[in-house]
Amino acid sequence: IKNDVVSVINFIKYYNQTNKNLKTKEQIQKEVLAALNEMRKLDNVNDYIFIYNFDGTSIHNPIAKNNIGKNLFEYKDEEGKSVVKDLIDVSKRYLGGEVEYIWFKPDITTNAKKISYAKSYDEWEWTIGKGVYLNEIDKLVNDKVDEFNQRISNSTLQIISLTIMLVLY
């Protein structure tokens, strides 16, 4: 998720520098947001970039479009964490940072634990982030454990077969 955010920031920097003398800041921002919509993987509702102004106003969120234009700076999750404020604060660090919180998960239509990485694009006072739901990470780990166990079983069976063949030989 960090690489995706850094790639988006690099794209914004490049696009802004390339068009700075040709278009207005507002026009460039509008085109950047349109490009982000085009780059999104539509097959996964949990895979998206979000953007907030430093004041907490939602600028880009392809999943919660009804929040665009709303100030969510004071929004707290069900555990009382100031999600947007924390994301903005951590994004202003030199290398950005992660925030763990509870957020609505569209594919299960309920809240779930999520961790997001956020980094700022200071020239526009934007916090840009992306997150992953922790149950998705658990699922990936379990899939890898199952794959590893299957490999161990196959290797053990091969070793036993070769040992039996060697003993019979």
Side-chain angles (χ1 to χ4, degrees):
I1 60 176
K2 180 179 181 180
N3 289 340
D4 288 348
V5 170
V6 170
S7 292
V8 166
I9 290 173
N10 288 338
F11 164 72
I12 292 171
K13 284 179 185 175
Y14 172 78
Y15 196 80
N16 186 35
Q17 290 302 318
T18 304
N19 293 288
K20 205 175 214 175
N21 298 323
L22 305 172
K23 302 175 183 180
T24 66
K25 176 181 165 183
E26 291 75 23
Q27 189 177 10
I28 295 169
Q29 288 175 336
K30 185 177 179 181
E31 290 173 0
V32 163
L33 295 175
L36 290 177
N37 279 328
E38 291 297 317
M39 293 188 299
R40 185 172 164 266
K41 298 173 193 147
L42 296 175
D43 61 333
N44 186 349
V45 295
N46 300 312
D47 185 16
Y48 60 93
I49 294 287
F50 55 83
I51 301 174
Y52 295 98
N53 271 337
F54 284 174
D55 71 358
T57 302
S58 177
I59 296 173
H60 177 76
N61 188 324
I63 301 302
K65 292 179 182 178
N66 58 322
N67 284 337
I68 294 175
K70 291 182 184 174
N71 189 301
L72 302 172
F73 193 80
E74 297 298 326
Y75 172 80
K76 293 184 186 309
D77 70 7
E78 59 191 47
E79 293 180 344
K81 182 168 237 167
S82 299
V83 177
V84 176
K85 178 188 179 309
D86 291 354
L87 286 166
I88 292 168
D89 289 345
V90 78
S91 78
K92 293 177 182 178
R93 295 181 190 161
Y94 177 69
L95 296 174
E98 298 88 22
V99 176
E100 188 176 327
Y101 54 96
I102 296 175
W103 199 257
F104 182 76
K105 189 167 192 271
D107 61 345
I108 60 173
T109 63
T110 189
N111 290 337
K113 284 200 176 247
K114 185 174 187 176
I115 189 165
S116 290
Y117 172 80
K119 186 162 176 38
S120 65
Y121 181 61
D122 293 329
E123 187 169 336
W124 291 350
E125 296 186 352
W126 279 10
T127 289
I128 301 163
K130 183 174 183 176
V132 63
Y133 291 93
L134 297 182
N135 67 331
E136 296 287 326
I137 294 173
D138 292 341
K139 182 180 172 221
L140 288 172
V141 168
N142 288 335
D143 289 348
K144 289 296 179 187
V145 166
D146 290 345
E147 181 183 318
F148 182 70
N149 286 337
Q150 185 64 40
R151 284 185 183 174
I152 289 175
S153 295
N154 290 343
S155 297
T156 303
L157 185 60
Q158 288 175 348
I159 290 171
I160 290 172
S161 297
L162 289 172
T163 304
I164 290 172
M165 288 173 56
L166 188 63
V167 167
L168 290 176
Y169 179 70

